[in-house]
Amino acid sequence: MLRINEINIRNINSITSLNLRLQPGVNILCGTNGIGKTTILDCIQYSTLPRMNPRMNPLRNNIRRTVNSSDSFYSINATVNEHEDDFFLDLINEPDFHASQEINRINSRKLIYLNISDRNQRTPLRLRINEEGRIRVMSTYDLIKRWFYRCYYKKKNMSEETFENLLLAKKVFNKLDPNVTFVEATEKYEEDYNNDMVKFIEIMVKTQRGTINMDFLSSGYRACFSILFGIIRHVEERYNIPVENFDGVVLIDEIDLHLHPEWQTKIVGILKWLIPNAQIIITTHSPHVIQNAEKGEIVPLGIDGNNNMFIRNLPESSEYGYQGWTIEEILVHVMGLNNPKSKVFLKKIKSFEEALDKEDIAAIKENYYALDSMLHSRNPLSTVLRIQAEEFLEEEEVGDE
Ligand SMILES: Nc1ncnc2c1ncn2[C@@H]1O[C@H](COP(=O)(O)OP(=O)(O)OP(=O)(O)O)[C@@H](O)[C@H]1O
Ligand SMILES: [Mg+2]
């Protein structure tokens, strides 16, 4: 079992200081670009990697001492198999971060990190070289499809746990979209652009229009597939336990990447269904993810004038979290957007108000009509504007209502 309880950071990347307590279930970090969300996830992962030559460590370049700072370290309080302990990493002292010694690492591999570069389907992750010495580029999506086929369809003597995970994996297709069901997975050889015979994995799914190759499903579907199957794969390969028993930590950077708002509203719910016993730490820029979170799951990060990161004091939400708030209310009051209206709209509103003050009839009309055409047809503000402008409009211009 692994739970990250608390992280303290000093002078790493953009974070001058941070004290962050996390809850054992879901933690959704949100905050402006560059505030340090990815840095937090990177620090957590880095502390669980086995000690290795820093030059070989893929995260070496992600965790840096803040420029012009004198000390730089972070510590994590975690519970590993019921024991709570503190883990430190002193960057100044790390050989590759300019000097000597690292104190303690979390000795548990129970951590899954899906960062953006890993799961972006368009990022070729691995290069495979075939017998002719030709290079083939594989994306995360390709790799996961191959693993799915290899693990569940080529495996002889499947264990009970693997079989259970296969049933779960099949359910994921449908969970993502109730109109999609898994049909079969097969391998097939085809010529590629080099005229080499290359193995392709075909996963066929039933949709409302008939059975198709899942490659033709939307990129949002495939992005979710990569996230969820990435988790199943990790648990299956490392532990061979039923996925629902996984009690480690799952870190996902920018969970909403590539997803249509409709997917953004349900992805966290699906994660909770898939890994009910894991601690989930994710980052997002999506008001839809925030809207669908439960009370206590949102961690709104802010930064003060001295670059210290803090947890913003949000307006009280009810026992339902922000599930009753509109997207606009979340953008402004949770995500800290100054104003969710466009600049053009705000300028017109200002001109309209100025024209009303001056009783400048021509300007009132001009701005009123511009605003009226700009607003959504059912926006109640239209009525308010009309009432304000009414006395300056000709009778036929006021309309019936
Ligand atoms: N050595 C350094 N010293 C000071 N600041 C740094 C250093 N290295 C990186 N930064 C800053 O750290 C920030 C990167 O933080 P990070 O990628 O964690 O942000 P983020 O919250 O994940 O942003 P986004 O939402 O865009 O993904 C950037 O603003 C960058 O300018
Ligand atoms: Mg980031």
Side-chain angles (χ1 to χ4, degrees), residues 375-392:
L375 285 168
H376 186 279
S377 59
R378 273 176 287 176
N379 191 324
L381 187 58
S382 281
T383 315
V384 177
L385 294 175
R386 190 169 55 240
I387 292 167
Q388 285 182 289
E390 216 161 32
E391 62 178 294
F392 303 100

Side-chain angles (χ1 to χ4, degrees), residues 34 36-39 116 253-254 283 285:
K37 301 178 295 300
T38 305
T39 304
I116 328 174
D253 201 12
E254 300 202 6
T283 76
H285 286 298

Side-chain angles (χ1 to χ4, degrees), residues 51-64:
R51 203 182 171 127
M52 61 167 97
N53 178 348
R55 275 179 215 295
M56 306 286 288
N57 194 318
L59 284 181
R60 183 174 69 99
N61 291 325
N62 296 7
I63 304 173
R64 290 166 299 261

